[in-house]
């Protein structure tokens, strides 16, 4: 995948990988030109953004009480803490960015991520996924955008100046179909497609569905569009299929959906049933 200069290389990533200190690896992949598109959860981007603006995460002992954590302003992510104050800092940054943009802008997750990346780059913050993505012109898509702190930050920004009786009537000027169409155009213009998936979740299936999306668009609208399939595919996820966490099925099953080129026709697929925090650093180091 990395050696195919005509390949659009898509990274999908879920789980608390930035809290687990994997954010620099993702930035390095982008900086080295080995990732052309990022599809992620909003939480992962949020926690990475928190660190990139100077906030930190803390290790937490197993025996600590979650009620005490809540009362102290701490949010637990398995064995790590994110302070509520960190998230409040991010809300102020998002508000500042939005206030500086045109009121007529129709936002998508990739547009918001690019605006944040520009802010990080211009303010010379530390290493960050969004900063690297901005500099390399790599779009970052968050399909389930409202399922994240960033989504809540945008919502509360849109409510500014309203009272308790009408604040929830306000909605930001946001259209997720802009993401869908932008991604589909990138896939259509690529010589070949490759995907590196960490975990499962919405990012994985949203990225994989581009083949079926273009296929049904062609058939239903009579447009004779060229077929799009992923030729290369690598997934690192410890979950077995019967747990249902793959969110987009095995690669073998995905062939039946028109998502992947079969191996008998030149497709190259690898599924690695392992903890990504162990495997990804070794894989990327070897690749570099």
């Amino acid at each position: 995948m990395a050696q195919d200069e005509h390949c659009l290389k898509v990274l999908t990533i879920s789980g608390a990988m930035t809290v687990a200190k994997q954010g620099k690896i993702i930035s390095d992949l982008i900086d080295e030109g080995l990732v052309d598109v990022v599809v992620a959860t909003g939480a992962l981007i949020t926690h990475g953004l928190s660190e990139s603006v100077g906030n930190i995460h803390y290790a937490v002992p197993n025996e600590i009480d979650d009620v005490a954590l809540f009362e102290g302003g701490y949010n637990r992510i398995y064995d790590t803490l994110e302070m509520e104050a960190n998230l409040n800092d991010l809300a102020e940054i998002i508000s500042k960015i939005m206030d500086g943009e045109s009121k007529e802008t129709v936002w998508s997750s990739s547009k918001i991520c690019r605006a944040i990346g520009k802010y990080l780059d211009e303010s010379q913050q530390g290493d960050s996924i969004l900063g690297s993505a901005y500099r390399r012109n790599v779009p970052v898509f968050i399909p389930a955008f409202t399922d994240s702190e960033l989504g809540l930050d945008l919502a509360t920004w849109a409510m500014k100046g309203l009272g308790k009786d009408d604040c929830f009537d306000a909605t930001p000027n946001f259209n997720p179909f802009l993401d869908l169409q932008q991604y589909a155009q990138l896939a259509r213009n690529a010589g070949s497609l490759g995907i590196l998936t960490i975990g499962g979740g919405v990012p994985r299936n949203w990225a994989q569905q581009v083949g079926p999306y273009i296929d049904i668009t062609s058939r239903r609208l009579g447009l004779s569009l060229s077929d799009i399939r992923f030729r290369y595919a690598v997934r690192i996820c410890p979950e077995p299929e019967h747990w249902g966490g793959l969110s987009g099925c095995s690669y073998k099953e995905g062939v039946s959906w028109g998502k992947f080129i079969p191996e008998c026709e030149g497709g190259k697929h690898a599924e690695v049933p392992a903890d990504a925090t162990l495997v990804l650093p070794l894989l990327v180091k070897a690749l570099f």
Side-chain angles (χ1 to χ4, degrees):
M1 191 193 308
Q3 292 172 337
D4 186 345
E5 63 183 22
H6 302 294
C7 178
L8 182 77
K9 296 172 283 292
V10 180
L11 171 66
T12 82
I13 185 164
S14 62
M17 293 291 285
T18 44
V19 172
K21 304 300 180 185
Q22 308 288 293
K24 182 64 166 64
I25 297 175
I26 302 169
S27 297
D28 286 347
L29 283 167
I30 296 171
D31 292 338
E32 293 293 328
L34 295 174
V35 170
D36 303 308
V37 174
V38 175
V39 186
T41 64
L44 186 146
I45 295 298
T46 298
H47 300 309
L49 178 59
S50 179
E51 289 197 344
S52 68
V53 298
N55 294 326
I56 58 176
H57 297 109
Y58 296 95
V60 58
N62 290 334
E63 65 273 11
I64 199 144
D65 181 65
D66 284 291
V67 174
L69 289 176
F70 172 76
E71 293 174 347
Y74 295 94
N75 304 295
R76 184 167 67 87
I77 308 162
Y78 187 49
D79 59 359
T80 308
L81 297 180
E82 174 84 87
M83 291 189 296
E84 189 66 24
N86 292 354
L87 302 180
N88 292 335
D89 288 346
L90 297 188
E92 292 184 10
I93 291 172
I94 300 303
S95 182
K96 178 181 178 181
I97 292 171
M98 292 297 121
D99 285 342
E101 298 289 339
S102 169
K103 302 292 186 183
E104 306 304 316
T105 300
V106 180
W107 292 98
S108 64
S109 71
S110 66
K111 284 186 177 181
I112 291 172
C113 286
R114 181 162 180 79
I116 298 171
K118 180 181 179 183
Y119 166 83
L120 294 174
D121 185 61
E122 293 179 347
S123 59
Q124 297 183 326
Q125 301 286 349
D127 292 323
S128 64
I129 296 171
L130 295 183
S132 292
Y134 171 75
R135 288 187 291 272
R136 295 284 303 196
N137 199 29
V138 170
V140 178
F141 298 104
I142 304 175
F145 186 73
T146 56
D147 181 28
S148 70
E149 182 70 26
L150 290 181
L152 303 186
D153 292 343
L154 185 64
T156 54
W157 169 79
M159 296 177 183
K160 285 197 302 185
L162 301 177
K164 64 180 181 180
D165 294 330
D166 58 355
C167 63
F168 290 104
D169 294 330
T171 56
N173 199 7
F174 184 89
N175 186 347
F177 287 98
L178 294 175
D179 287 328
L180 180 65
Q181 303 297 56
Q182 181 185 354
Y183 178 58
Q185 288 283 33
L186 288 169
R188 286 189 64 214
N189 294 333
S192 61
L193 292 179
I195 187 167
L196 169 60
T197 288
I198 308 302
V202 173
R204 182 185 186 216
N205 193 61
W206 189 87
Q208 290 180 173
Q209 72 178 0
V210 66
Y213 176 49
I214 291 174
D215 183 46
I216 63 174
T217 299
S218 181
R219 286 190 287 108
R220 294 174 184 176
L221 303 183
L223 299 179
S224 300
L225 301 174
S226 299
D227 289 343
I228 296 292
R229 304 285 186 271
F230 282 96
R231 177 173 298 278
Y232 313 102
V234 178
R235 177 178 64 85
I236 307 173
C237 180
E239 294 188 23
E241 290 181 54
H242 62 269
W243 283 1
L246 297 185
S247 297
C249 63
S250 66
Y251 292 144
K252 182 179 178 182
E253 185 179 320
V255 168
S256 74
W257 287 86
K259 297 176 180 178
F260 304 99
I261 295 174
E263 291 190 335
C264 63
E265 297 178 12
K268 297 180 181 294
H269 312 150
E271 302 204 50
V272 186
D275 181 341
T277 61
L278 301 177
V279 173
L280 184 64
L282 300 175
L283 181 66
V284 173
K285 181 64 175 179
L287 183 62
F288 286 168

